[in-house]
């Protein structure tokens, strides 16, 4: 393809396979006549972005695209980049958010290794912004739930009534010891 039509190639791989895949790709792709480059670009939500860092990342991605290399990332890194945009908007850093949006908008093709696993819901990050706050009435909620579990565990009469009213509840296994509850599936 002509240089202007080339897209950035992003290989998305599970974190536990990243090192092994990097070694394999390095051996097979960078050691050939074309000398394709691998760009592992780690990113997480703790990265403090500045205009300079965003510009360097954009230049690196453009260089990768021009040279026919590819970026090696994991699903959590891809999502962290996207979610960082929300954080920047929330902080009121509009100029930085605009520059970051341009980085995210670099035309790319994503190659997913183990796509069935990568597309599972567990790779959708919960991304909290701001200061941690206690859950409203958290201790009261937890104590109420613990009381319910104790009633189910200790009172045969309550357990029978509870199971009659809630047919979807299943007890799994036996109680391991007096300091824990048996596994209950609601």
């Amino acid at each position: 393809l002509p240089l202007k039509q080339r897209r950035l190639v992003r290989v998305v791989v599970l974190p536990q396979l990243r090192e092994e895949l990097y070694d394999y790709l390095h051996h097979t792709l960078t050691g050939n006549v074309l000398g394709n480059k691998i760009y592992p670009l780690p990113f997480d939500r703790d990265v403090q972005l500045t205009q300079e860092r965003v510009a360097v990342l954009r230049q690196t991605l453009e260089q990768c695209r021009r040279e026919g290399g590819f970026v090696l990332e994991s699903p959590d890194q891809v999502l962290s980049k996207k979610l960082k945009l929300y954080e920047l908007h929330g902080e009121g850093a509009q100029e930085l958010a605009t520059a970051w949006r341009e980085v995210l908008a670099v035309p790319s093709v994503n190659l997913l290794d183990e796509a069935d696993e990568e597309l599972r819901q567990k790779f959708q990050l919960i991304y909290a912004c701001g200061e941690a706050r206690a859950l409203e009435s958290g201790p009261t909620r937890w104590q109420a739930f613990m009381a319910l579990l104790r009633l189910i565990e200790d009172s045969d009469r309550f357990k029978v009534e509870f199971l009659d009213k809630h047919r979807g509840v299943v007890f799994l296994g036996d109680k391991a010891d007096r300091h824990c509850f048996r596994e209950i599936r609601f």
Side-chain angles (χ1 to χ4, degrees):
L1 286 173
L3 187 58
K4 287 189 176 190
Q5 292 179 348
R6 275 192 195 154
R7 290 178 172 260
L8 177 69
V9 177
R10 181 179 289 124
V11 178
V12 183
V13 62
L14 295 172
Q16 58 268 35
L17 301 175
R18 187 175 32 225
E19 189 175 323
E20 182 181 343
L21 185 64
Y22 175 85
D23 291 341
Y24 174 78
L25 293 174
H26 180 72
H27 176 71
T28 56
L29 294 179
T30 62
N32 65 23
V33 176
L34 297 175
N36 300 88
K37 291 184 180 176
I38 304 170
Y39 291 76
L41 296 175
F43 188 87
D44 65 46
R45 62 188 283 185
D46 295 329
V47 171
Q48 296 299 314
L49 293 178
T50 62
Q51 289 288 353
E52 295 77 26
R53 287 181 177 174
V54 170
V56 168
L57 183 57
R58 169 111 182 162
Q59 291 167 357
T60 303
L61 293 175
E62 285 298 328
Q63 177 184 351
C64 177
R65 185 183 65 81
R66 279 193 314 273
E67 294 177 354
F70 54 93
V71 174
L72 186 63
E73 294 180 312
S74 60
D76 56 310
Q77 293 170 336
V78 173
L79 287 170
S80 288
K81 284 181 185 176
K82 291 177 182 177
L83 295 170
K84 190 69 168 179
L85 184 61
Y86 294 113
E87 183 179 307
L88 293 172
H89 280 295
E91 294 171 352
Q94 299 309 318
E95 286 183 31
L96 191 54
T98 301
W100 188 243
R101 184 179 292 113
E102 291 173 8
V103 168
L104 298 177
V106 172
S108 65
V109 174
N110 292 337
L111 304 175
L112 304 178
D113 181 45
E114 300 288 340
D116 57 331
E117 186 67 24
E118 287 183 30
L119 297 175
R120 289 182 61 194
Q121 186 175 359
K122 74 176 188 174
F123 282 108
Q124 301 302 311
L125 299 179
I126 296 173
Y127 197 71
C129 293
E131 295 295 318
R133 295 184 319 201
L135 186 62
E136 185 178 326
S137 302
T140 305
R141 292 178 185 186
W142 303 320
Q143 289 170 353
F145 192 72
M146 291 297 288
L148 174 65
L149 290 175
R150 276 192 209 93
L151 269 173
I152 292 172
E153 193 66 45
D154 297 339
S155 170
D156 290 333
R157 192 182 105 221
F158 183 81
K159 187 184 312 181
V160 169
E161 288 178 22
F162 187 81
L163 289 173
D164 282 343
K165 289 180 182 175
H166 304 283
R167 298 279 181 192
V169 176
V170 178
F171 288 93
L172 304 170
D174 294 325
K175 186 174 175 178
D177 64 46
R178 65 183 186 89
H179 298 292
C180 66
F181 300 105
R182 77 178 75 203
E183 189 175 346
I184 303 172
R185 183 167 297 155
F186 288 91

